[in-house]
Amino acid sequence: DVEGKGDLEALAALSPEPLSIKPAGPVTFGGRIERQGERLRIDGGHLATAAVTAAFSGEILGSTRSFALNADLVPAELSRWVAGLDLQGAVVPVEAAVRIEAGRTEATGKTRIGRLARGAAGSVSTGAVEFSTTLGGGSLAGTARISDLVVTAAGGEAVKDPAVSVVYDVAQSA
């Protein structure tokens, strides 16, 4: 069993790549790690910060990592990590399966946005959202299926759509 606590700024400093987010504040984490031959199995994993509370389980085999994740994201606290984000709203729950391999990350999952606002610019809310995303080879691609989308402008005008599908493929520029 592993349990710990620390400071996110200190953990972020250990990253081999510069981070575009600036996590700050205390973090607690833990879980049970067990070796099963060449596999490392993680059960009962947990991580808690002011911005994210997560529970996870998974395994590591060589350079492949696979995890099941349940997280609650706190928009106002995430805004403290990313300059100019300025989000407000209810906690956003996320359930996802994540697979990380050399040069490729895949995530599938679901969420629901109760109400999310960016400053005084307006807000968005949804019913169920299902997503699938792949990052690798210099691009980000995926799909999102959104039910009961409501986008409200700062003046109160609202656009509603019962079902929206978004397909995206964003290539990294040189």
Side-chain angles (χ1 to χ4, degrees):
D1 287 355
V2 175
E3 296 291 328
K5 60 183 175 180
D7 185 273
L8 284 170
E9 292 161 328
L11 289 174
L14 298 175
S15 174
E17 299 291 327
L19 298 176
S20 59
I21 63 170
K22 303 294 181 210
V27 60
T28 59
F29 56 90
R32 187 174 55 254
I33 301 173
E34 178 182 347
R35 180 171 291 283
Q36 298 173 338
E38 293 184 20
R39 291 188 194 307
L40 261 163
R41 179 84 192 145
I42 301 168
D43 287 308
H46 57 88
L47 174 110
T49 72
V52 179
T53 302
F56 58 91
S57 62
E59 67 180 30
I60 299 171
L61 178 59
S63 64
T64 302
R65 290 143 175 80
S66 300
F67 296 95
L69 171 74
N70 288 305
D72 288 328
L73 309 177
V74 181
E77 293 295 330
L78 285 172
S79 292
R80 295 177 192 212
W81 293 12
V82 181
L85 194 56
D86 193 24
L87 293 177
Q88 298 125 18
V91 169
V92 178
V94 177
E95 293 178 31
V98 180
R99 183 175 176 85
I100 304 169
E101 300 176 306
R104 183 179 176 92
T105 301
E106 297 174 347
T108 58
K110 59 185 176 178
T111 187
R112 176 181 302 270
I113 300 172
R115 181 183 173 278
L116 188 61
R118 183 162 187 216
S123 66
V124 64
S125 65
T126 71
V129 177
E130 295 179 357
F131 61 87
S132 176
T133 300
T134 301
L135 173 64
S139 71
L140 173 69
T143 60
R145 287 184 300 285
I146 305 166
S147 69
D148 301 321
L149 174 66
V150 179
V151 179
T152 305
E157 305 85 27
V159 175
K160 299 178 181 183
D161 198 317
V164 176
S165 291
V166 179
V167 177
Y168 52 92
D169 190 354
V170 182
Q172 183 179 14
S173 61

